[in-house]
Amino acid sequence: MTCASARTYGMLSKAADRDVIVRDPSGKGPMAYPTIAREVRTILMGETPVKHTIIFADGKAFNFPPSWVSPVPDVPGMPLVYDNLVECLPCPDTRSH
C-alpha cells in the first residue's frame, strides 16, 4: 500500500521513537519470549493502531500487529531519558549502573 492509497482509506503513518516489548501472544514461534526493540513507525486507522514497524538490535525491521507490541514499563528511580534501554538497566550483581 502506498502512502497515497493509505491516505485514501483513512490510514495515517505516524513516526515513533520508543522502546517496546515484542512478544507473540500465542507463545509459539521465534517471538514467544519477550524481546525489547525500537518502534520507529505506527500505522493508524483513525486513533486505532493497525501496524507497528519495529527495528531490532541486529538492524532488521519487521511489522507487527498491536497485540504483539507493548511499551516498556516505567521503572521508578530511573531518569526519563536514555539513549539505549540496555545502558540504563542496573547490573544484577552490583545493583548499580
Side-chain angles (χ1 to χ4, degrees):
M1 179 180 289
T2 64
C3 292
S5 64
R7 276 187 242 118
T8 304
Y9 293 110
M11 298 177 87
L12 173 68
S13 178
K14 183 178 175 184
D17 187 27
R18 66 178 181 156
D19 290 322
V20 294
I21 299 172
V22 181
R23 182 180 179 276
D24 182 350
S26 72
K28 299 177 183 175
M31 296 304 298
Y33 296 99
T35 305
I36 295 176
R38 193 76 169 162
E39 180 181 15
V40 294
R41 183 153 305 281
T42 303
I43 304 293
L44 303 166
M45 180 170 281
E47 295 292 320
T48 307
V50 177
K51 179 172 47 173
H52 298 271
T53 303
I54 309 294
I55 296 182
F56 291 93
D58 61 1
K60 294 181 181 175
F62 295 98
N63 292 316
F64 292 101
S67 60
W68 287 45
V69 179
S70 61
V72 173
D74 291 333
V75 179
M78 289 176 54
L80 297 175
V81 179
Y82 282 102
D83 292 333
N84 186 342
L85 182 66
V86 176
E87 293 173 356
C88 71
L89 295 175
C91 175
D93 297 330
T94 62
R95 299 286 181 211
S96 64
H97 292 282

